[in-house]
Structures are given as structure tokens and as C-alpha cells.
């Protein structure tokens, strides 16, 4: 996007991206699915950098859902290895990421992840907690329903302890106990790969999100595609139920 284009549009504050189509991309080329994931991980890095460059405040990347454990063990392992590689690299590039003002957050249920990955996540989150140019949420073993369940349990614990009356539970209580607590709802959700569904991504937070779908497979997604999505978004009329 040119500087001029950028200055003429209202950017979404928070963009959610469902990184889908890696498997089909690999299949088209006669490669193993894991090769598609590898290529997809490269695109994730590039889009992350580009979004930071144009001034997006918050990005959420859906990398692995609570339902993706159903896949063959070797594919799950390949995805976890790519996640681990990225976390290692982020640690090595700490100075670079600090200079970009990048805050890294994990969203999802970390209990089911390998211990070394959980440790890497905690270190990166703690290290980058005060950065405020861009927040990058990594959704791994993330499910929107699981997130709401988690929030409900937190609230129920307070009720059981006598700290909160059931009648006093508000939408804000639910929000505050989601993995995304404190962050703006996604303004724009992008799903490539020709599927028109959320697949359990940010289902609570997406109540008023704008959607952008495309047939492009994630490993083929470029910064020009992100520009197109953002420009389309900027032409939408968001009413939030008003007139
Ligand atoms: C997205 O690509 C990555 C994950 C869900 C982990 P897919 O692996 O779902 O790719 P397709 O949908 O099979 O092409
Ligand atoms: C959604 O893609 C999850 C991620 C991209 C991480 P899936 O490929 O798992 O979704 P479905 O199964 O097509 O709905
Ligand atoms: Mg898929």
C-alpha cells in the first residue's frame, strides 16, 4: 500500500487471520502436507512484518485449533515443530522484535502443549509484555467454544466463592475472562482457501467483525492480498445495529 493510500483509509485496529489451505497447496504440488505448513509459516512471518509496517495494532493468527488434534500424529508433530521453531527464532530475534515494538501473546489452552513450548511462550510473553506498537496473538490449540467455557469456569469459581452474585454477571465479566481480555474485538477477519466459515475462531469476539474471504491458499497469500482485504474493509459501512 502506498503512503498516500494508507493516509486515506481507516485501518482496522485488529485483524484476525485463519491461515487455511496449506494442505491443499502442498497437494497441488505433489508435496507432503507438512511442506504446505512450512510454506505457510513463512507467509505468516512476512504478513506479520508487513502488518506491523503499515501500523496494524493487533493481529491474531489462527494456527492450530482444538479440533486439529484429529489429524494424523505426524502432521500434528510437524505443526508443533514449526511453532517451536518460530518461538525459538523470536527469542533469538528479541532485539529486532523489541525495536518493532512487538508484543507476543499466546491464546488457547496451553495445558495440552509440550512443556518446552509452554516455557518458550511464557518467556516471550513476559519479555514483550510492555511493548505497544503491535500485538501478535498466536492461536494454537485455540477454540472459541473452549475459550468461552474457560471464561464461564472462572466466573463460576467466583460465584462459588461468594465473590460474585449470579445476577451481577455482565458481558464484561465474560470478556475479561477470555484469552483475549483487554484487547479490541477483531474488526476484520480474513479467511483464505475458499472456505466460508469461522471453524471455531474468535466466535465470541467476532459478533460485529467484517469478513473477507478469498480462494487464495494461505501459502500463496501476499501483502497485496492483505492490502485488498484492508481496502475492502475500509469501504464497509459498520452499523453495529444502529442506523
Ligand atoms: C491450515 O491449513 C493449517 C491448519 C489447520 C493447521 P490446512 O492444513 O487446514 O490446509 P487444508 O485446509 O487441508 O488445505
Ligand atoms: C481452521 O482450519 C483452523 C486453522 C486454520 C488453524 P481447518 O482446516 O481446521 O478448518 P475446517 O476443518 O476446514 O473447518
Ligand atoms: Mg483447512
Amino acid at each position: 500500500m502506498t503512503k498516500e493510500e494508507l493516509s486515506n483509509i481507516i485501518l482496522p485496529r485488529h485483524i484476525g487471520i485463519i491461515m487455511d489451505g496449506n494442505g491443499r497447496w502442498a497437494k497441488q504440488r505433489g508435496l507432503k502436507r507438512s511442506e504446505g505448513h512450512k510454506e505457510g509459516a513463512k507467509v505468516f512471518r512476512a504478513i506479520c512484518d508487513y502488518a506491523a509496517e503499515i501500523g496494524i495494532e493487533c493481529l491474531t493468527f489462527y494456527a492450530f485449533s482444538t479440533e486439529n488434534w484429529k489429524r494424523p500424529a505426524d502432521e500434528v508433530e510437524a505443526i508443533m515443530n514449526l511453532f517451536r521453531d518460530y518461538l525459538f527464532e523470536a527469542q533469538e530475534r528479541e532485539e529486532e522484535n523489541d525495536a518493532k515494538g512487538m508484543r507476543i501473546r499466546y491464546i488457547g489452552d496451553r495445558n495440552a502443549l509440550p512443556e518446552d513450548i509452554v516455557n518458550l511462550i511464557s518467556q516471550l510473553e513476559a519479555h514483550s509484555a510492555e511493548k505497544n506498537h503491535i500485538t501478535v496473538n498466536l492461536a494454537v490449540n485455540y477454540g472459541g467454544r473452549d475459550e468461552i467455557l474457560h471464561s464461564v469456569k472462572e466466573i463460576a469459581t467466583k460465584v462459588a466463592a461468594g465473590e460474585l452474585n449470579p445476577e451481577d454477571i455482565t458481558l464484561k465479566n465474560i470478556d475479561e475472562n477470555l484469552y483475549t481480555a483487554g484487547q479490541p474485538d477483531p474488526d476484520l477477519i480474513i479467511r483464505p482457501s475458499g472456505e466460508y466459515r469461522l471453524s471455531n475462531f474468535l466466535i465470541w469476539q467476532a459478533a460485529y467483525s467484517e469478513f473477507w474471504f478469498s480462494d487464495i491458499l494461505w501459502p500463496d497469500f501476499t501483502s497485496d492480498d492483505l492490502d485488498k482485504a484492508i481496502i475492502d474493509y475500509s469501504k464497509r459501512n459498520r452499523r453495529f445495529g444502529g442506523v
Side-chain angles (χ1 to χ4, degrees), residues 198-216:
L198 276 175
S199 302
N200 210 3
F201 184 51
L202 301 177
I203 54 173
W204 174 275
Q205 300 88 332
Y208 274 101
S209 300
E210 296 294 329
F211 292 92
W212 195 83
F213 297 104
S214 148
D215 288 340
I216 304 157

mmCIF file of all heavy atoms in Angstrom, residues 198-216:
data_model
loop_
_atom_site.group_PDB
_atom_site.id
_atom_site.type_symbol
_atom_site.label_atom_id
_atom_site.label_comp_id
_atom_site.label_asym_id
_atom_site.label_seq_id
_atom_site.Cartn_x
_atom_site.Cartn_y
_atom_site.Cartn_z
ATOM 1 N N LEU A 198 -16.074 -19.952 10.211
ATOM 2 C CA LEU A 198 -15.144 -19.498 11.250
ATOM 3 C C LEU A 198 -14.336 -20.644 11.843
ATOM 4 O O LEU A 198 -13.283 -20.424 12.434
ATOM 5 C CB LEU A 198 -15.907 -18.798 12.379
ATOM 6 C CG LEU A 198 -16.226 -17.321 12.154
ATOM 7 C CD1 LEU A 198 -17.095 -16.796 13.297
ATOM 8 C CD2 LEU A 198 -14.949 -16.501 12.067
ATOM 9 N N SER A 199 -14.843 -21.872 11.734
ATOM 10 C CA SER A 199 -14.152 -23.028 12.314
ATOM 11 C C SER A 199 -13.692 -22.767 13.752
ATOM 12 O O SER A 199 -12.540 -23.032 14.118
ATOM 13 C CB SER A 199 -12.975 -23.459 11.430
ATOM 14 O OG SER A 199 -13.404 -23.762 10.132
ATOM 15 N N ASN A 200 -14.604 -22.188 14.538
ATOM 16 C CA ASN A 200 -14.348 -22.021 15.986
ATOM 17 C C ASN A 200 -13.322 -20.923 16.306
ATOM 18 O O ASN A 200 -12.703 -20.929 17.356
ATOM 19 C CB ASN A 200 -13.901 -23.371 16.583
ATOM 20 C CG ASN A 200 -14.283 -23.543 18.041
ATOM 21 O OD1 ASN A 200 -14.941 -22.689 18.637
ATOM 22 N ND2 ASN A 200 -13.849 -24.638 18.644
ATOM 23 N N PHE A 201 -13.150 -19.985 15.398
ATOM 24 C CA PHE A 201 -12.185 -18.889 15.600
ATOM 25 C C PHE A 201 -12.897 -17.669 16.183
ATOM 26 O O PHE A 201 -13.858 -17.155 15.585
ATOM 27 C CB PHE A 201 -11.557 -18.532 14.251
ATOM 28 C CG PHE A 201 -10.464 -17.486 14.319
ATOM 29 C CD1 PHE A 201 -9.402 -17.605 15.196
ATOM 30 C CD2 PHE A 201 -10.492 -16.384 13.462
ATOM 31 C CE1 PHE A 201 -8.378 -16.641 15.232
ATOM 32 C CE2 PHE A 201 -9.476 -15.430 13.485
ATOM 33 C CZ PHE A 201 -8.423 -15.553 14.366
ATOM 34 N N LEU A 202 -12.471 -17.195 17.314
ATOM 35 C CA LEU A 202 -12.957 -15.955 17.928
ATOM 36 C C LEU A 202 -14.473 -15.793 17.835
ATOM 37 O O LEU A 202 -14.966 -14.718 17.491
ATOM 38 C CB LEU A 202 -12.257 -14.742 17.279
ATOM 39 C CG LEU A 202 -10.730 -14.701 17.386
ATOM 40 C CD1 LEU A 202 -10.171 -13.487 16.628
ATOM 41 C CD2 LEU A 202 -10.232 -14.644 18.830
ATOM 42 N N ILE A 203 -15.205 -16.860 18.158
ATOM 43 C CA ILE A 203 -16.650 -16.814 17.908
ATOM 44 C C ILE A 203 -17.376 -15.780 18.774
ATOM 45 O O ILE A 203 -18.370 -15.224 18.346
ATOM 46 C CB ILE A 203 -17.320 -18.204 18.027
ATOM 47 C CG1 ILE A 203 -17.006 -18.857 19.377
ATOM 48 C CG2 ILE A 203 -16.910 -19.114 16.878
ATOM 49 C CD1 ILE A 203 -17.775 -20.157 19.608
ATOM 50 N N TRP A 204 -16.871 -15.527 19.961
ATOM 51 C CA TRP A 204 -17.482 -14.500 20.815
ATOM 52 C C TRP A 204 -17.126 -13.107 20.294
ATOM 53 O O TRP A 204 -17.981 -12.240 20.131
ATOM 54 C CB TRP A 204 -16.982 -14.677 22.268
ATOM 55 C CG TRP A 204 -17.420 -13.599 23.192
ATOM 56 C CD1 TRP A 204 -16.830 -12.386 23.404
ATOM 57 C CD2 TRP A 204 -18.587 -13.606 24.038
ATOM 58 N NE1 TRP A 204 -17.535 -11.640 24.308
ATOM 59 C CE2 TRP A 204 -18.619 -12.381 24.719
ATOM 60 C CE3 TRP A 204 -19.592 -14.546 24.284
ATOM 61 C CZ2 TRP A 204 -19.610 -12.044 25.641
ATOM 62 C CZ3 TRP A 204 -20.577 -14.218 25.205
ATOM 63 C CH2 TRP A 204 -20.579 -12.988 25.864
ATOM 64 N N GLN A 205 -15.848 -12.926 20.017
ATOM 65 C CA GLN A 205 -15.328 -11.611 19.643
ATOM 66 C C GLN A 205 -15.746 -11.177 18.247
ATOM 67 O O GLN A 205 -15.658 -10.002 17.900
ATOM 68 C CB GLN A 205 -13.790 -11.622 19.717
ATOM 69 C CG GLN A 205 -13.197 -11.930 21.076
ATOM 70 C CD GLN A 205 -13.002 -13.430 21.302
ATOM 71 O OE1 GLN A 205 -13.712 -14.269 20.758
ATOM 72 N NE2 GLN A 205 -12.031 -13.781 22.139
ATOM 73 N N ALA A 206 -16.189 -12.124 17.413
ATOM 74 C CA ALA A 206 -16.497 -11.815 16.011
ATOM 75 C C ALA A 206 -17.923 -11.297 15.815
ATOM 76 O O ALA A 206 -18.372 -11.144 14.679
ATOM 77 C CB ALA A 206 -16.280 -13.051 15.138
ATOM 78 N N ALA A 207 -18.615 -11.000 16.911
ATOM 79 C CA ALA A 207 -20.028 -10.606 16.817
ATOM 80 C C ALA A 207 -20.273 -9.522 15.764
ATOM 81 O O ALA A 207 -21.263 -9.575 15.032
ATOM 82 C CB ALA A 207 -20.538 -10.161 18.184
ATOM 83 N N TYR A 208 -19.384 -8.540 15.677
ATOM 84 C CA TYR A 208 -19.543 -7.454 14.701
ATOM 85 C C TYR A 208 -18.339 -7.297 13.775
ATOM 86 O O TYR A 208 -18.112 -6.220 13.226
ATOM 87 C CB TYR A 208 -19.895 -6.139 15.410
ATOM 88 C CG TYR A 208 -21.386 -6.034 15.623
ATOM 89 C CD1 TYR A 208 -21.954 -6.322 16.868
ATOM 90 C CD2 TYR A 208 -22.224 -5.712 14.566
ATOM 91 C CE1 TYR A 208 -23.328 -6.278 17.050
ATOM 92 C CE2 TYR A 208 -23.603 -5.661 14.744
ATOM 93 C CZ TYR A 208 -24.152 -5.941 15.984
ATOM 94 O OH TYR A 208 -25.507 -5.901 16.161
ATOM 95 N N SER A 209 -17.608 -8.373 13.584
ATOM 96 C CA SER A 209 -16.443 -8.306 12.693
ATOM 97 C C SER A 209 -16.892 -8.254 11.238
ATOM 98 O O SER A 209 -17.941 -8.779 10.882
ATOM 99 C CB SER A 209 -15.567 -9.550 12.868
ATOM 100 O OG SER A 209 -15.109 -9.643 14.190
ATOM 101 N N GLU A 210 -16.056 -7.659 10.409
ATOM 102 C CA GLU A 210 -16.241 -7.717 8.963
ATOM 103 C C GLU A 210 -15.436 -8.917 8.456
ATOM 104 O O GLU A 210 -14.341 -9.187 8.961
ATOM 105 C CB GLU A 210 -15.706 -6.430 8.314
ATOM 106 C CG GLU A 210 -16.449 -5.179 8.729
ATOM 107 C CD GLU A 210 -17.899 -5.157 8.240
ATOM 108 O OE1 GLU A 210 -18.181 -5.732 7.169
ATOM 109 O OE2 GLU A 210 -18.740 -4.567 8.951
ATOM 110 N N PHE A 211 -15.978 -9.589 7.439
ATOM 111 C CA PHE A 211 -15.292 -10.783 6.929
ATOM 112 C C PHE A 211 -14.747 -10.565 5.526
ATOM 113 O O PHE A 211 -15.352 -9.860 4.720
ATOM 114 C CB PHE A 211 -16.260 -11.974 6.925
ATOM 115 C CG PHE A 211 -16.629 -12.404 8.324
ATOM 116 C CD1 PHE A 211 -17.759 -11.880 8.947
ATOM 117 C CD2 PHE A 211 -15.829 -13.281 9.020
ATOM 118 C CE1 PHE A 211 -18.077 -12.241 10.256
ATOM 119 C CE2 PHE A 211 -16.148 -13.653 10.321
ATOM 120 C CZ PHE A 211 -17.268 -13.132 10.942
ATOM 121 N N TRP A 212 -13.616 -11.175 5.263
ATOM 122 C CA TRP A 212 -13.038 -11.126 3.920
ATOM 123 C C TRP A 212 -12.586 -12.530 3.555
ATOM 124 O O TRP A 212 -11.720 -13.099 4.203
ATOM 125 C CB TRP A 212 -11.855 -10.156 3.890
ATOM 126 C CG TRP A 212 -11.429 -9.770 2.502
ATOM 127 C CD1 TRP A 212 -11.991 -8.797 1.723
ATOM 128 C CD2 TRP A 212 -10.345 -10.313 1.730
ATOM 129 N NE1 TRP A 212 -11.322 -8.708 0.521
ATOM 130 C CE2 TRP A 212 -10.316 -9.624 0.494
ATOM 131 C CE3 TRP A 212 -9.407 -11.319 1.955
ATOM 132 C CZ2 TRP A 212 -9.378 -9.902 -0.502
ATOM 133 C CZ3 TRP A 212 -8.467 -11.595 0.957
ATOM 134 C CH2 TRP A 212 -8.460 -10.886 -0.254
ATOM 135 N N PHE A 213 -13.226 -13.067 2.513
ATOM 136 C CA PHE A 213 -12.914 -14.430 2.075
ATOM 137 C C PHE A 213 -12.221 -14.389 0.715
ATOM 138 O O PHE A 213 -12.460 -13.472 -0.080
ATOM 139 C CB PHE A 213 -14.206 -15.245 1.947
ATOM 140 C CG PHE A 213 -14.943 -15.424 3.255
ATOM 141 C CD1 PHE A 213 -16.094 -14.685 3.537
ATOM 142 C CD2 PHE A 213 -14.478 -16.322 4.201
ATOM 143 C CE1 PHE A 213 -16.773 -14.858 4.743
ATOM 144 C CE2 PHE A 213 -15.148 -16.503 5.407
ATOM 145 C CZ PHE A 213 -16.299 -15.764 5.680
ATOM 146 N N SER A 214 -11.406 -15.393 0.469
ATOM 147 C CA SER A 214 -10.732 -15.468 -0.822
ATOM 148 C C SER A 214 -10.351 -16.915 -1.113
ATOM 149 O O SER A 214 -10.189 -17.719 -0.197
ATOM 150 C CB SER A 214 -9.493 -14.578 -0.762
ATOM 151 O OG SER A 214 -8.473 -15.109 -1.560
ATOM 152 N N ASP A 215 -10.222 -17.229 -2.396
ATOM 153 C CA ASP A 215 -9.848 -18.594 -2.804
ATOM 154 C C ASP A 215 -8.347 -18.862 -2.688
ATOM 155 O O ASP A 215 -7.905 -19.996 -2.820
ATOM 156 C CB ASP A 215 -10.263 -18.848 -4.264
ATOM 157 C CG ASP A 215 -11.766 -18.992 -4.387
ATOM 158 O OD1 ASP A 215 -12.413 -19.274 -3.356
ATOM 159 O OD2 ASP A 215 -12.292 -18.803 -5.498
ATOM 160 N N ILE A 216 -7.581 -17.812 -2.464
ATOM 161 C CA ILE A 216 -6.124 -17.975 -2.355
ATOM 162 C C ILE A 216 -5.809 -18.962 -1.225
ATOM 163 O O ILE A 216 -6.437 -18.906 -0.165
ATOM 164 C CB ILE A 216 -5.473 -16.624 -1.991
ATOM 165 C CG1 ILE A 216 -5.844 -15.556 -3.020
ATOM 166 C CG2 ILE A 216 -3.965 -16.732 -1.836
ATOM 167 C CD1 ILE A 216 -5.727 -14.155 -2.479
#
